[in-house]
Amino acid sequence: MAGVAVRVSHVRQTGTNFNFRMITAASTAFLLVYLLGVVLNAAVSLALLCCPDQLASVLNRPVAGLVFVCFLWCLQRVILYAVLLSTSEAQSNVVAALSSLMVFAILLLNAVLGAERYFVLTPHRRRHFYYGTGVLTIAAVCSIMWSFSTSPTTDMVRPDKILQLKVWVATAVVVFVYTVVACAFFYGNAYAFTVSKLSNSMHVLKDLVANGSANGDSESVNELSALESAREKLERTMLYQCIWLSCSVLVCYLPIMVYVTVNLAYTSARGMEDISVDGSPTSAAWYASAALMALDPLITPCVVVFFKRDLLYYLLESVSAFLPCLKA
């Protein structure tokens, strides 16, 4: 869904509407961003696979899936820019559909990550949430497949026909709102539950310390206190990681959601039935919102590595071991 990929032939045909140099410069910048995204997400994905204990955690599996989807999305965008000059109309529709599906997958995986954080802490069942998410996923996939199979796409981002464009925008907005609401609900409740749990733990520890001091068993009390402190620190770290990932979703995707919605309202108000007559968007607002969304696959692996220092150390060791091989 992101990017400024515009078929060069179309740009040349509609030169009055496009600044060709701007398109070229923007495409080059996006290509570099996505190349960096491929490297970062591939490195973190491999590190997660090489550390089996990471995937043993229920919470780390959605994180691994999120990083892998970011890798696939970046790889797809790099391939797109590499073959941009020879892209046919049918290929453009496939590229646009895949881009939308990957963005939706990233959004829904963030919702799943927030839900798992909440369900791990509380005794509530996951069934109803996953039923709802599954239904939404199927509906989104069907919507995207129909939109791009029944309408051409000039910019390899949106369907050209107004009806399909409305369905595409509505699907994107629903998925985005669902993710934001789910993250806010689950993280808010997880935070409240964690605070309550920590408060109760402190009261229990105070009682144990008092009893231990009275019985002279201070060593056992210290061990228990250290274990409890380590557990609380781990839970806080995991909660902060999830919150940072959700904040990145809001910052990176909200601008482009607003843009496509406003752009659709403007196009509909003009009574247009096909947006291809105006070509692809080249305004500063479009470039800014697309750039923010392109940053999400860079932010995600950085947040994961920042909160999982063992992965960071593993990556640094791997790079250190690989550099001498290059010199040789």
Side-chain angles (χ1 to χ4, degrees):
M1 201 165 108
V4 290
V6 181
R7 289 199 299 277
V8 174
S9 59
H10 180 81
V11 173
R12 288 171 179 164
Q13 291 169 6
T14 57
T16 56
N17 296 329
F18 288 95
N19 184 325
F20 183 70
R21 291 182 180 178
M22 182 184 296
I23 294 291
T24 305
S27 297
T28 303
F30 276 81
L31 175 60
L32 295 175
V33 169
Y34 287 122
L35 276 172
L36 182 57
V38 168
V39 174
L40 286 176
N41 287 285
V44 175
S45 296
L46 288 174
L48 286 168
L49 289 175
C50 294
C51 301
D53 56 315
Q54 293 289 338
L55 296 180
S57 170
V58 176
L59 276 176
N60 285 342
R61 291 170 195 166
V63 172
L66 185 60
V67 172
F68 185 66
V69 172
C70 287
F71 164 74
L72 291 179
W73 182 33
C74 290
L75 182 62
Q76 183 253 3
R77 302 308 292 181
V78 168
I79 294 173
L80 163 64
Y81 286 113
V83 299
L84 193 57
L85 292 175
S86 60
T87 304
S88 66
E89 181 176 305
Q91 291 172 326
S92 298
N93 285 27
V94 172
V95 166
L98 286 175
S99 295
S100 295
L101 291 174
M102 288 181 187
V103 171
F104 292 166
I106 290 172
L107 291 172
L108 291 173
L109 278 171
N110 274 279
V112 169
L113 185 59
E116 283 298 332
R117 174 60 188 167
Y118 175 72
F119 292 132
V120 164
L121 290 174
T122 65
H124 295 86
R125 295 184 178 180
R126 299 172 168 83
R127 183 175 57 187
H128 297 300
F129 168 76
Y130 281 109
Y131 280 164
T133 303
V135 169
L136 178 60
T137 301
I138 293 172
V141 170
C142 292
S143 169
I144 294 304
M145 298 305 293
W146 176 81
S147 296
F148 288 105
S149 64
T150 57
S151 170
T153 171
T154 300
D155 55 19
M156 288 185 268
V157 175
R158 310 169 299 169
D160 287 343
K161 295 183 179 179
I162 291 299
L163 177 59
Q164 285 81 346
L165 179 60
K166 288 180 179 179
V167 173
W168 179 79
V169 171
T171 304
V173 170
V174 169
V175 171
F176 177 72
V177 171
Y178 179 83
T179 299
V180 171
V181 171
C183 288
F185 173 81
F186 287 123
Y187 287 137
N189 282 279
Y191 177 75
F193 184 84
T194 302
V195 169
S196 174
K197 196 173 181 180
L198 292 178
S199 178
N200 293 334
S201 298
M202 289 303 296
H203 289 303
V204 172
L205 279 176
K206 287 179 180 178
D207 293 339
L208 288 173
V209 169
N211 293 333
S213 299
N215 299 329
D217 190 12
S218 59
E219 184 176 349
S220 298
V221 171
N222 291 336
E223 290 179 358
L224 182 61
S225 178
L227 288 173
E228 186 67 19
S229 177
R231 183 186 63 81
E232 292 169 1
K233 183 179 179 181
L234 177 62
E235 288 187 353
R236 283 197 300 269
T237 299
M238 296 176 77
L239 181 61
Y240 293 155
Q241 176 195 12
C242 296
I243 291 174
W244 271 105
L245 288 173
S246 297
C247 288
S248 70
V249 167
L250 188 63
V251 172
C252 293
Y253 293 93
L254 180 59
I256 201 162
M257 292 296 171
V258 173
Y259 180 90
V260 296
T261 304
V262 172
N263 185 262
L264 173 61
Y266 172 74
T267 303
S268 300
R270 295 175 61 187
M272 296 172 57
E273 296 183 358
D274 193 317
I275 64 169
S276 63
V277 296
D278 275 354
S280 300
T282 56
S283 67
W286 169 258
Y287 287 130
S289 57
L292 280 174
M293 187 159 63
L295 290 177
D296 183 52
L298 302 185
I299 294 173
T300 297
C302 291
V303 171
V304 171
V305 170
F306 179 79
F307 284 101
K308 296 184 180 299
R309 298 303 173 88
D310 51 343
L311 282 182
L312 177 59
Y313 298 146
Y314 177 83
L315 287 172
L316 292 176
E317 290 176 1
S318 300
V319 171
S320 300
F322 184 66
L323 287 178
C325 297
L326 291 179
K327 294 179 181 179

